[in-house]
Amino acid sequence: MLFLTLETTCDETAAAVISDELMVLGSAVASQDELHGVYGGVVPELASRAHVERMLPVIDEALRRAERTLADIDCVAVATTPGLAGSLLVGLSAAKALCVALERPLIAINHLQAHVYACRLAAGRDVFPCVGLVVSGGHTSLYRCRNAIDFELLGGTIDDAAGEAFDKVASMLGLPYPGGPAIQRASEGGNPRAIRFPRSFQHEHDRLDFSFSGLKTAVRYQIAGAGGNPAEVPTLSTQALADVAASFQEAVVDSLIGKSLDALRATGCQTLCVGGGVAANARLRTRLTETAAAEGFELWIAPPQLCTDNAVMGAIAVERWKAGLVEPLDVDILPGVQRAH
Ligand code: KG4
Ligand code: ZN
């Protein structure tokens, strides 16, 4: 049985052809980074228009790589939540049209759950039950994942997402968008202990939330220096820039790891699965690996190419299909984060 999975929640247009045995036959992703780069962040209206232009070519490319045609597809799946409303609508409309034309069932994918499921694909075996940490440009969420279709939201960011903080701090430092990879590069040779930036809720072990806006402000004042104007892009030496980037990155990594440990203790889970664009961060991956070895829990981090948005992680649709979770064709998008599914 073959699934066509579609992904248009934010600024990547993606499609994949996946078998019910979780074999990835073909995958294609069209990134919009260049389109939004000049604005320093995603412009929702531009993102939806770009999805409209790219959706069909991306589906064609995924089918071509899989050496299949639409007639071979048995089931169509699409991310319907959470994300930008206009972007989600493009993917859902395409999926519905295919379902009507091909007379195939429709499966709805929760994009954040799919980010966790990327770990299941990397593991090549069951990873549930686990704590799922999703760190992306739009979300920073902790889940108790009882199995592939039963996710309970334990906590999340109360302001900026981790990736958003990377993007905004990069822009303050005059670095390009997306900010995560740029900060990672700038941090090389920097001292992660040079500046002690704040880590939110680190002593409130019962609170499984994150906050990154105070950290962002602390960086702004740090780079402005005494008497400087925080609104201006500063001129920093290469070493000073590396120290700010490394210290900021370390503060984000400490927050993410601290709350993941709190979530593992609160749930009694032995496994942590980490996905989303920020999970591509080299420092986070190293520190997580060290922490897992020291604390004795099992760790799965999505491979870098499955961290940023893609349709391969939409393989979670196979699990929903097996559980009989097929959607009616009038199913709608849900742009906001849901507490449980
Ligand atoms: O998951 P994703 O592709 O899109 C959303 O669903 O939001 O995540 C994009 C985010 C961006 O904020 C980007 O700066 C961040 O992931 N990112 C990184 C790295 N690569 C991408 N953040 C830190 N380090 C990286 N290497
Ligand atoms: Zn994402």
Side-chain angles (χ1 to χ4, degrees), residues 7 9-12 111-112 115 135-139 162-167 177-184 249 275-282 307-310 313:
E7 155 62 41
T9 58
C10 187
D11 63 340
E12 262 92 26
H111 176 73
L112 301 184
H115 269 305
V135 272
S136 73
H139 304 96
E164 195 179 352
F166 269 100
D167 295 337
Y177 175 85
I183 291 207
Q184 182 179 314
Q249 183 172 260
V278 180
N281 184 268
C307 283
T308 43
D309 288 347
N310 63 86
M313 63 193 191

PDB file of all heavy atoms in Angstrom, residues 7 9-12 111-112 115 135-139 162-167 177-184 249 275-282 307-310 313, ligand 1:
ATOM      1  N   GLU A   7       3.123  18.283   2.853  1.00  0.00           N
ATOM      2  CA  GLU A   7       3.507  19.151   3.970  1.00  0.00           C
ATOM      3  C   GLU A   7       3.589  20.599   3.476  1.00  0.00           C
ATOM      4  O   GLU A   7       4.387  20.903   2.573  1.00  0.00           O
ATOM      5  CB  GLU A   7       4.860  18.661   4.511  1.00  0.00           C
ATOM      6  CG  GLU A   7       5.713  19.696   5.236  1.00  0.00           C
ATOM      7  CD  GLU A   7       5.071  20.265   6.483  1.00  0.00           C
ATOM      8  OE1 GLU A   7       4.450  19.508   7.251  1.00  0.00           O
ATOM      9  OE2 GLU A   7       5.182  21.489   6.690  1.00  0.00           O
ATOM     10  N   THR A   9       2.934  23.335   6.117  1.00  0.00           N
ATOM     11  CA  THR A   9       2.490  24.055   7.321  1.00  0.00           C
ATOM     12  C   THR A   9       3.111  25.439   7.455  1.00  0.00           C
ATOM     13  O   THR A   9       2.517  26.334   8.031  1.00  0.00           O
ATOM     14  CB  THR A   9       2.822  23.262   8.598  1.00  0.00           C
ATOM     15  OG1 THR A   9       4.233  23.033   8.632  1.00  0.00           O
ATOM     16  CG2 THR A   9       2.095  21.935   8.635  1.00  0.00           C
ATOM     17  N   CYS A  10       4.350  25.599   6.944  1.00  0.00           N
ATOM     18  CA  CYS A  10       5.026  26.889   7.127  1.00  0.00           C
ATOM     19  C   CYS A  10       5.627  27.348   5.790  1.00  0.00           C
ATOM     20  O   CYS A  10       4.880  27.807   4.927  1.00  0.00           O
ATOM     21  CB  CYS A  10       6.073  26.748   8.222  1.00  0.00           C
ATOM     22  SG  CYS A  10       6.845  28.300   8.673  1.00  0.00           S
ATOM     23  N   ASP A  11       6.924  27.211   5.613  1.00  0.00           N
ATOM     24  CA  ASP A  11       7.521  27.748   4.383  1.00  0.00           C
ATOM     25  C   ASP A  11       8.288  26.705   3.577  1.00  0.00           C
ATOM     26  O   ASP A  11       9.120  27.056   2.757  1.00  0.00           O
ATOM     27  CB  ASP A  11       8.420  28.955   4.695  1.00  0.00           C
ATOM     28  CG  ASP A  11       9.597  28.602   5.573  1.00  0.00           C
ATOM     29  OD1 ASP A  11       9.548  27.560   6.244  1.00  0.00           O
ATOM     30  OD2 ASP A  11      10.571  29.366   5.590  1.00  0.00           O
ATOM     31  N   GLU A  12       8.002  25.415   3.810  1.00  0.00           N
ATOM     32  CA  GLU A  12       8.532  24.392   2.916  1.00  0.00           C
ATOM     33  C   GLU A  12       7.347  23.681   2.260  1.00  0.00           C
ATOM     34  O   GLU A  12       6.389  23.332   2.957  1.00  0.00           O
ATOM     35  CB  GLU A  12       9.350  23.337   3.686  1.00  0.00           C
ATOM     36  CG  GLU A  12      10.844  23.564   3.644  1.00  0.00           C
ATOM     37  CD  GLU A  12      11.332  24.393   4.813  1.00  0.00           C
ATOM     38  OE1 GLU A  12      10.657  24.360   5.862  1.00  0.00           O
ATOM     39  OE2 GLU A  12      12.355  25.084   4.665  1.00  0.00           O
ATOM     40  N   HIS A 111       1.470  18.086  12.483  1.00  0.00           N
ATOM     41  CA  HIS A 111       2.847  18.404  12.075  1.00  0.00           C
ATOM     42  C   HIS A 111       3.858  18.216  13.222  1.00  0.00           C
ATOM     43  O   HIS A 111       4.984  17.756  12.999  1.00  0.00           O
ATOM     44  CB  HIS A 111       2.869  19.849  11.572  1.00  0.00           C
ATOM     45  CG  HIS A 111       4.211  20.344  11.200  1.00  0.00           C
ATOM     46  ND1 HIS A 111       4.865  19.941  10.065  1.00  0.00           N
ATOM     47  CD2 HIS A 111       5.053  21.207  11.819  1.00  0.00           C
ATOM     48  CE1 HIS A 111       6.045  20.545  10.000  1.00  0.00           C
ATOM     49  NE2 HIS A 111       6.187  21.315  11.054  1.00  0.00           N
ATOM     50  N   LEU A 112       3.460  18.545  14.445  1.00  0.00           N
ATOM     51  CA  LEU A 112       4.399  18.425  15.575  1.00  0.00           C
ATOM     52  C   LEU A 112       4.613  16.959  15.932  1.00  0.00           C
ATOM     53  O   LEU A 112       5.729  16.532  16.240  1.00  0.00           O
ATOM     54  CB  LEU A 112       3.895  19.218  16.783  1.00  0.00           C
ATOM     55  CG  LEU A 112       3.708  20.721  16.525  1.00  0.00           C
ATOM     56  CD1 LEU A 112       3.291  21.445  17.792  1.00  0.00           C
ATOM     57  CD2 LEU A 112       4.992  21.331  15.972  1.00  0.00           C
ATOM     58  N   HIS A 115       7.037  15.597  13.533  1.00  0.00           N
ATOM     59  CA  HIS A 115       8.440  15.910  13.871  1.00  0.00           C
ATOM     60  C   HIS A 115       8.996  14.860  14.845  1.00  0.00           C
ATOM     61  O   HIS A 115      10.147  14.442  14.726  1.00  0.00           O
ATOM     62  CB  HIS A 115       8.541  17.296  14.509  1.00  0.00           C
ATOM     63  CG  HIS A 115       8.775  18.400  13.518  1.00  0.00           C
ATOM     64  ND1 HIS A 115       9.824  18.397  12.629  1.00  0.00           N
ATOM     65  CD2 HIS A 115       8.104  19.565  13.287  1.00  0.00           C
ATOM     66  CE1 HIS A 115       9.784  19.508  11.889  1.00  0.00           C
ATOM     67  NE2 HIS A 115       8.745  20.229  12.267  1.00  0.00           N
ATOM     68  N   VAL A 135      11.312  21.112  18.635  1.00  0.00           N
ATOM     69  CA  VAL A 135      11.922  22.439  18.665  1.00  0.00           C
ATOM     70  C   VAL A 135      12.021  22.957  17.239  1.00  0.00           C
ATOM     71  O   VAL A 135      12.877  22.532  16.473  1.00  0.00           O
ATOM     72  CB  VAL A 135      13.323  22.410  19.327  1.00  0.00           C
ATOM     73  CG1 VAL A 135      13.211  22.596  20.813  1.00  0.00           C
ATOM     74  CG2 VAL A 135      14.087  21.126  19.029  1.00  0.00           C
ATOM     75  N   SER A 136      11.114  23.857  16.884  1.00  0.00           N
ATOM     76  CA  SER A 136      11.094  24.325  15.498  1.00  0.00           C
ATOM     77  C   SER A 136      11.010  25.844  15.475  1.00  0.00           C
ATOM     78  O   SER A 136      11.107  26.509  16.508  1.00  0.00           O
ATOM     79  CB  SER A 136       9.914  23.696  14.767  1.00  0.00           C
ATOM     80  OG  SER A 136       8.720  24.282  15.212  1.00  0.00           O
ATOM     81  N   GLY A 137      10.822  26.376  14.264  1.00  0.00           N
ATOM     82  CA  GLY A 137      10.730  27.828  14.131  1.00  0.00           C
ATOM     83  C   GLY A 137       9.458  28.369  14.756  1.00  0.00           C
ATOM     84  O   GLY A 137       9.418  29.505  15.234  1.00  0.00           O
ATOM     85  N   GLY A 138       8.411  27.574  14.770  1.00  0.00           N
ATOM     86  CA  GLY A 138       7.129  28.048  15.276  1.00  0.00           C
ATOM     87  C   GLY A 138       6.745  27.472  16.629  1.00  0.00           C
ATOM     88  O   GLY A 138       5.850  27.998  17.289  1.00  0.00           O
ATOM     89  N   HIS A 139       7.389  26.367  17.054  1.00  0.00           N
ATOM     90  CA  HIS A 139       6.952  25.678  18.266  1.00  0.00           C
ATOM     91  C   HIS A 139       8.108  25.160  19.099  1.00  0.00           C
ATOM     92  O   HIS A 139       9.165  24.827  18.571  1.00  0.00           O
ATOM     93  CB  HIS A 139       6.039  24.498  17.902  1.00  0.00           C
ATOM     94  CG  HIS A 139       4.871  24.926  17.075  1.00  0.00           C
ATOM     95  ND1 HIS A 139       4.878  24.850  15.702  1.00  0.00           N
ATOM     96  CD2 HIS A 139       3.699  25.482  17.427  1.00  0.00           C
ATOM     97  CE1 HIS A 139       3.745  25.343  15.247  1.00  0.00           C
ATOM     98  NE2 HIS A 139       3.013  25.740  16.267  1.00  0.00           N
ATOM     99  N   ALA A 162      11.936  28.273  20.162  1.00  0.00           N
ATOM    100  CA  ALA A 162      13.404  28.235  20.181  1.00  0.00           C
ATOM    101  C   ALA A 162      13.973  28.697  18.831  1.00  0.00           C
ATOM    102  O   ALA A 162      14.903  29.510  18.779  1.00  0.00           O
ATOM    103  CB  ALA A 162      13.881  26.830  20.518  1.00  0.00           C
ATOM    104  N   GLY A 163      13.412  28.191  17.732  1.00  0.00           N
ATOM    105  CA  GLY A 163      13.917  28.558  16.403  1.00  0.00           C
ATOM    106  C   GLY A 163      13.707  30.034  16.117  1.00  0.00           C
ATOM    107  O   GLY A 163      14.557  30.697  15.512  1.00  0.00           O
ATOM    108  N   GLU A 164      12.565  30.546  16.589  1.00  0.00           N
ATOM    109  CA  GLU A 164      12.257  31.968  16.415  1.00  0.00           C
ATOM    110  C   GLU A 164      13.316  32.809  17.154  1.00  0.00           C
ATOM    111  O   GLU A 164      13.757  33.845  16.653  1.00  0.00           O
ATOM    112  CB  GLU A 164      10.875  32.180  17.035  1.00  0.00           C
ATOM    113  CG  GLU A 164      10.173  33.444  16.712  1.00  0.00           C
ATOM    114  CD  GLU A 164       8.803  33.459  17.417  1.00  0.00           C
ATOM    115  OE1 GLU A 164       8.380  32.446  18.012  1.00  0.00           O
ATOM    116  OE2 GLU A 164       8.176  34.530  17.377  1.00  0.00           O
ATOM    117  N   ALA A 165      13.718  32.361  18.354  1.00  0.00           N
ATOM    118  CA  ALA A 165      14.748  33.072  19.115  1.00  0.00           C
ATOM    119  C   ALA A 165      16.065  33.057  18.331  1.00  0.00           C
ATOM    120  O   ALA A 165      16.749  34.081  18.228  1.00  0.00           O
ATOM    121  CB  ALA A 165      14.927  32.431  20.490  1.00  0.00           C
ATOM    122  N   PHE A 166      16.420  31.911  17.749  1.00  0.00           N
ATOM    123  CA  PHE A 166      17.635  31.843  16.916  1.00  0.00           C
ATOM    124  C   PHE A 166      17.522  32.854  15.761  1.00  0.00           C
ATOM    125  O   PHE A 166      18.467  33.592  15.474  1.00  0.00           O
ATOM    126  CB  PHE A 166      17.814  30.437  16.334  1.00  0.00           C
ATOM    127  CG  PHE A 166      18.652  29.515  17.193  1.00  0.00           C
ATOM    128  CD1 PHE A 166      18.048  28.583  18.025  1.00  0.00           C
ATOM    129  CD2 PHE A 166      20.034  29.572  17.161  1.00  0.00           C
ATOM    130  CE1 PHE A 166      18.810  27.728  18.812  1.00  0.00           C
ATOM    131  CE2 PHE A 166      20.812  28.721  17.947  1.00  0.00           C
ATOM    132  CZ  PHE A 166      20.199  27.795  18.777  1.00  0.00           C
ATOM    133  N   ASP A 167      16.347  32.863  15.108  1.00  0.00           N
ATOM    134  CA  ASP A 167      16.174  33.738  13.947  1.00  0.00           C
ATOM    135  C   ASP A 167      16.256  35.216  14.345  1.00  0.00           C
ATOM    136  O   ASP A 167      16.877  36.020  13.659  1.00  0.00           O
ATOM    137  CB  ASP A 167      14.834  33.441  13.249  1.00  0.00           C
ATOM    138  CG  ASP A 167      14.796  32.039  12.648  1.00  0.00           C
ATOM    139  OD1 ASP A 167      15.884  31.477  12.376  1.00  0.00           O
ATOM    140  OD2 ASP A 167      13.689  31.489  12.476  1.00  0.00           O
ATOM    141  N   TYR A 177      19.118  34.926   7.493  1.00  0.00           N
ATOM    142  CA  TYR A 177      17.998  34.021   7.801  1.00  0.00           C
ATOM    143  C   TYR A 177      18.155  32.751   6.962  1.00  0.00           C
ATOM    144  O   TYR A 177      18.549  32.864   5.804  1.00  0.00           O
ATOM    145  CB  TYR A 177      16.671  34.722   7.460  1.00  0.00           C
ATOM    146  CG  TYR A 177      15.464  33.839   7.622  1.00  0.00           C
ATOM    147  CD1 TYR A 177      14.857  33.693   8.856  1.00  0.00           C
ATOM    148  CD2 TYR A 177      14.957  33.113   6.526  1.00  0.00           C
ATOM    149  CE1 TYR A 177      13.755  32.864   9.006  1.00  0.00           C
ATOM    150  CE2 TYR A 177      13.867  32.278   6.679  1.00  0.00           C
ATOM    151  CZ  TYR A 177      13.275  32.160   7.918  1.00  0.00           C
ATOM    152  OH  TYR A 177      12.193  31.343   8.080  1.00  0.00           O
ATOM    153  N   PRO A 178      17.856  31.553   7.455  1.00  0.00           N
ATOM    154  CA  PRO A 178      17.419  31.269   8.819  1.00  0.00           C
ATOM    155  C   PRO A 178      18.569  31.377   9.820  1.00  0.00           C
ATOM    156  O   PRO A 178      19.713  31.023   9.511  1.00  0.00           O
ATOM    157  CB  PRO A 178      16.883  29.834   8.725  1.00  0.00           C
ATOM    158  CG  PRO A 178      17.572  29.235   7.541  1.00  0.00           C
ATOM    159  CD  PRO A 178      17.869  30.362   6.593  1.00  0.00           C
ATOM    160  N   GLY A 179      18.224  31.873  11.003  1.00  0.00           N
ATOM    161  CA  GLY A 179      19.243  32.233  11.975  1.00  0.00           C
ATOM    162  C   GLY A 179      19.938  31.061  12.646  1.00  0.00           C
ATOM    163  O   GLY A 179      21.082  31.198  13.093  1.00  0.00           O
ATOM    164  N   GLY A 180      19.245  29.904  12.758  1.00  0.00           N
ATOM    165  CA  GLY A 180      19.833  28.771  13.477  1.00  0.00           C
ATOM    166  C   GLY A 180      21.180  28.347  12.920  1.00  0.00           C
ATOM    167  O   GLY A 180      22.189  28.370  13.633  1.00  0.00           O
ATOM    168  N   PRO A 181      21.226  27.985  11.627  1.00  0.00           N
ATOM    169  CA  PRO A 181      22.510  27.572  11.056  1.00  0.00           C
ATOM    170  C   PRO A 181      23.543  28.707  11.117  1.00  0.00           C
ATOM    171  O   PRO A 181      24.723  28.462  11.352  1.00  0.00           O
ATOM    172  CB  PRO A 181      22.164  27.229   9.601  1.00  0.00           C
ATOM    173  CG  PRO A 181      20.691  26.982   9.597  1.00  0.00           C
ATOM    174  CD  PRO A 181      20.107  27.809  10.687  1.00  0.00           C
ATOM    175  N   ALA A 182      23.099  29.958  10.948  1.00  0.00           N
ATOM    176  CA  ALA A 182      24.029  31.105  10.960  1.00  0.00           C
ATOM    177  C   ALA A 182      24.638  31.275  12.353  1.00  0.00           C
ATOM    178  O   ALA A 182      25.839  31.516  12.491  1.00  0.00           O
ATOM    179  CB  ALA A 182      23.292  32.373  10.539  1.00  0.00           C
ATOM    180  N   ILE A 183      23.816  31.130  13.414  1.00  0.00           N
ATOM    181  CA  ILE A 183      24.339  31.267  14.783  1.00  0.00           C
ATOM    182  C   ILE A 183      25.269  30.102  15.101  1.00  0.00           C
ATOM    183  O   ILE A 183      26.318  30.283  15.719  1.00  0.00           O
ATOM    184  CB  ILE A 183      23.181  31.367  15.803  1.00  0.00           C
ATOM    185  CG1 ILE A 183      22.504  32.708  15.587  1.00  0.00           C
ATOM    186  CG2 ILE A 183      23.667  31.139  17.236  1.00  0.00           C
ATOM    187  CD1 ILE A 183      21.817  33.323  16.732  1.00  0.00           C
ATOM    188  N   GLN A 184      24.886  28.916  14.645  1.00  0.00           N
ATOM    189  CA  GLN A 184      25.759  27.752  14.884  1.00  0.00           C
ATOM    190  C   GLN A 184      27.147  27.992  14.277  1.00  0.00           C
ATOM    191  O   GLN A 184      28.170  27.763  14.918  1.00  0.00           O
ATOM    192  CB  GLN A 184      25.116  26.503  14.270  1.00  0.00           C
ATOM    193  CG  GLN A 184      25.952  25.247  14.518  1.00  0.00           C
ATOM    194  CD  GLN A 184      25.305  24.012  13.924  1.00  0.00           C
ATOM    195  OE1 GLN A 184      24.120  23.782  14.087  1.00  0.00           O
ATOM    196  NE2 GLN A 184      26.093  23.218  13.236  1.00  0.00           N
ATOM    197  N   GLN A 249      23.439  30.316  22.337  1.00  0.00           N
ATOM    198  CA  GLN A 249      23.129  28.934  21.955  1.00  0.00           C
ATOM    199  C   GLN A 249      23.138  28.020  23.188  1.00  0.00           C
ATOM    200  O   GLN A 249      22.264  27.169  23.357  1.00  0.00           O
ATOM    201  CB  GLN A 249      24.178  28.481  20.943  1.00  0.00           C
ATOM    202  CG  GLN A 249      23.985  27.107  20.376  1.00  0.00           C
ATOM    203  CD  GLN A 249      24.976  26.851  19.239  1.00  0.00           C
ATOM    204  OE1 GLN A 249      24.635  26.947  18.078  1.00  0.00           O
ATOM    205  NE2 GLN A 249      26.198  26.533  19.578  1.00  0.00           N
ATOM    206  N   GLY A 275      12.858  16.295  17.727  1.00  0.00           N
ATOM    207  CA  GLY A 275      12.724  16.634  16.305  1.00  0.00           C
ATOM    208  C   GLY A 275      12.444  18.109  16.116  1.00  0.00           C
ATOM    209  O   GLY A 275      12.300  18.868  17.090  1.00  0.00           O
ATOM    210  N   GLY A 276      12.361  18.546  14.848  1.00  0.00           N
ATOM    211  CA  GLY A 276      12.145  19.962  14.532  1.00  0.00           C
ATOM    212  C   GLY A 276      13.444  20.607  14.086  1.00  0.00           C
ATOM    213  O   GLY A 276      14.529  20.098  14.373  1.00  0.00           O
ATOM    214  N   GLY A 277      13.331  21.742  13.400  1.00  0.00           N
ATOM    215  CA  GLY A 277      14.489  22.394  12.786  1.00  0.00           C
ATOM    216  C   GLY A 277      15.661  22.622  13.734  1.00  0.00           C
ATOM    217  O   GLY A 277      16.821  22.416  13.363  1.00  0.00           O
ATOM    218  N   VAL A 278      15.384  23.037  14.976  1.00  0.00           N
ATOM    219  CA  VAL A 278      16.463  23.346  15.923  1.00  0.00           C
ATOM    220  C   VAL A 278      17.201  22.068  16.351  1.00  0.00           C
ATOM    221  O   VAL A 278      18.352  22.127  16.796  1.00  0.00           O
ATOM    222  CB  VAL A 278      15.909  24.128  17.138  1.00  0.00           C
ATOM    223  CG1 VAL A 278      17.004  24.463  18.140  1.00  0.00           C
ATOM    224  CG2 VAL A 278      15.215  25.407  16.680  1.00  0.00           C
ATOM    225  N   ALA A 279      16.554  20.910  16.181  1.00  0.00           N
ATOM    226  CA  ALA A 279      17.220  19.640  16.526  1.00  0.00           C
ATOM    227  C   ALA A 279      18.386  19.358  15.578  1.00  0.00           C
ATOM    228  O   ALA A 279      19.192  18.463  15.831  1.00  0.00           O
ATOM    229  CB  ALA A 279      16.216  18.492  16.502  1.00  0.00           C
ATOM    230  N   ALA A 280      18.491  20.141  14.498  1.00  0.00           N
ATOM    231  CA  ALA A 280      19.654  20.012  13.600  1.00  0.00           C
ATOM    232  C   ALA A 280      20.888  20.660  14.233  1.00  0.00           C
ATOM    233  O   ALA A 280      22.005  20.474  13.757  1.00  0.00           O
ATOM    234  CB  ALA A 280      19.359  20.673  12.253  1.00  0.00           C
ATOM    235  N   ASN A 281      20.686  21.424  15.317  1.00  0.00           N
ATOM    236  CA  ASN A 281      21.807  22.168  15.926  1.00  0.00           C
ATOM    237  C   ASN A 281      22.870  21.227  16.512  1.00  0.00           C
ATOM    238  O   ASN A 281      22.577  20.370  17.343  1.00  0.00           O
ATOM    239  CB  ASN A 281      21.249  23.091  17.020  1.00  0.00           C
ATOM    240  CG  ASN A 281      22.342  23.951  17.628  1.00  0.00           C
ATOM    241  OD1 ASN A 281      22.955  23.590  18.620  1.00  0.00           O
ATOM    242  ND2 ASN A 281      22.595  25.083  17.007  1.00  0.00           N
ATOM    243  N   ALA A 282      24.100  21.421  16.071  1.00  0.00           N
ATOM    244  CA  ALA A 282      25.194  20.511  16.449  1.00  0.00           C
ATOM    245  C   ALA A 282      25.448  20.527  17.955  1.00  0.00           C
ATOM    246  O   ALA A 282      25.665  19.481  18.575  1.00  0.00           O
ATOM    247  CB  ALA A 282      26.452  20.889  15.696  1.00  0.00           C
ATOM    248  N   CYS A 307      15.005  16.950  10.254  1.00  0.00           N
ATOM    249  CA  CYS A 307      14.693  17.913  11.323  1.00  0.00           C
ATOM    250  C   CYS A 307      13.873  19.061  10.765  1.00  0.00           C
ATOM    251  O   CYS A 307      12.805  19.396  11.278  1.00  0.00           O
ATOM    252  CB  CYS A 307      15.982  18.458  11.941  1.00  0.00           C
ATOM    253  SG  CYS A 307      16.772  17.297  13.064  1.00  0.00           S
ATOM    254  N   THR A 308      14.385  19.702   9.704  1.00  0.00           N
ATOM    255  CA  THR A 308      13.613  20.789   9.096  1.00  0.00           C
ATOM    256  C   THR A 308      12.433  20.164   8.334  1.00  0.00           C
ATOM    257  O   THR A 308      12.418  18.962   8.072  1.00  0.00           O
ATOM    258  CB  THR A 308      14.502  21.640   8.170  1.00  0.00           C
ATOM    259  OG1 THR A 308      15.313  20.761   7.408  1.00  0.00           O
ATOM    260  CG2 THR A 308      15.397  22.560   8.970  1.00  0.00           C
ATOM    261  N   ASP A 309      11.457  21.009   7.994  1.00  0.00           N
ATOM    262  CA  ASP A 309      10.194  20.479   7.475  1.00  0.00           C
ATOM    263  C   ASP A 309      10.372  19.634   6.210  1.00  0.00           C
ATOM    264  O   ASP A 309      11.121  20.004   5.307  1.00  0.00           O
ATOM    265  CB  ASP A 309       9.228  21.634   7.215  1.00  0.00           C
ATOM    266  CG  ASP A 309       8.729  22.221   8.526  1.00  0.00           C
ATOM    267  OD1 ASP A 309       8.933  21.585   9.580  1.00  0.00           O
ATOM    268  OD2 ASP A 309       8.128  23.307   8.482  1.00  0.00           O
ATOM    269  N   ASN A 310       9.659  18.525   6.181  1.00  0.00           N
ATOM    270  CA  ASN A 310       9.732  17.570   5.067  1.00  0.00           C
ATOM    271  C   ASN A 310       8.454  16.749   5.096  1.00  0.00           C
ATOM    272  O   ASN A 310       7.688  16.832   6.068  1.00  0.00           O
ATOM    273  CB  ASN A 310      10.969  16.674   5.254  1.00  0.00           C
ATOM    274  CG  ASN A 310      10.876  15.846   6.515  1.00  0.00           C
ATOM    275  OD1 ASN A 310      10.299  14.770   6.527  1.00  0.00           O
ATOM    276  ND2 ASN A 310      11.404  16.359   7.634  1.00  0.00           N
ATOM    277  N   MET A 313       8.466  12.628   7.266  1.00  0.00           N
ATOM    278  CA  MET A 313       7.978  12.405   8.632  1.00  0.00           C
ATOM    279  C   MET A 313       6.447  12.241   8.650  1.00  0.00           C
ATOM    280  O   MET A 313       5.886  11.770   9.643  1.00  0.00           O
ATOM    281  CB  MET A 313       8.430  13.534   9.558  1.00  0.00           C
ATOM    282  CG  MET A 313       7.883  14.895   9.207  1.00  0.00           C
ATOM    283  SD  MET A 313       8.795  16.165  10.131  1.00  0.00           S
ATOM    284  CE  MET A 313       7.751  17.608   9.796  1.00  0.00           C
TER     285      MET A 313
HETATM  286  O1  KG4 B   1      10.961  22.651  11.746  1.00  0.00           O
HETATM  287  P1  KG4 B   1      11.307  23.821  10.906  1.00  0.00           P
HETATM  288  O2  KG4 B   1      11.928  23.573   9.548  1.00  0.00           O
HETATM  289  O3  KG4 B   1      10.070  24.735  10.621  1.00  0.00           O
HETATM  290  C1  KG4 B   1       9.005  24.919  11.505  1.00  0.00           C
HETATM  291  O4  KG4 B   1       8.140  24.002  11.612  1.00  0.00           O
HETATM  292  O5  KG4 B   1       9.028  25.991  12.144  1.00  0.00           O
HETATM  293  O6  KG4 B   1      12.274  24.743  11.787  1.00  0.00           O
HETATM  294  C2  KG4 B   1      12.853  25.916  11.287  1.00  0.00           C
HETATM  295  C3  KG4 B   1      13.695  26.549  12.398  1.00  0.00           C
HETATM  296  C4  KG4 B   1      14.239  27.925  12.070  1.00  0.00           C
HETATM  297  O7  KG4 B   1      13.919  28.810  13.125  1.00  0.00           O
HETATM  298  C5  KG4 B   1      15.744  27.709  11.974  1.00  0.00           C
HETATM  299  O8  KG4 B   1      16.508  28.838  12.383  1.00  0.00           O
HETATM  300  C6  KG4 B   1      15.944  26.547  12.912  1.00  0.00           C
HETATM  301  O9  KG4 B   1      14.829  25.708  12.693  1.00  0.00           O
HETATM  302  N1  KG4 B   1      17.181  25.803  12.627  1.00  0.00           N
HETATM  303  C7  KG4 B   1      18.218  25.729  13.489  1.00  0.00           C
HETATM  304  C8  KG4 B   1      19.253  25.009  12.820  1.00  0.00           C
HETATM  305  N2  KG4 B   1      18.789  24.647  11.585  1.00  0.00           N
HETATM  306  C9  KG4 B   1      17.516  25.147  11.480  1.00  0.00           C
HETATM  307  N3  KG4 B   1      18.363  26.228  14.727  1.00  0.00           N
HETATM  308  C10 KG4 B   1      19.543  26.020  15.356  1.00  0.00           C
HETATM  309  N4  KG4 B   1      20.577  25.353  14.788  1.00  0.00           N
HETATM  310  C11 KG4 B   1      20.481  24.835  13.531  1.00  0.00           C
HETATM  311  N5  KG4 B   1      21.509  24.190  12.986  1.00  0.00           N
END
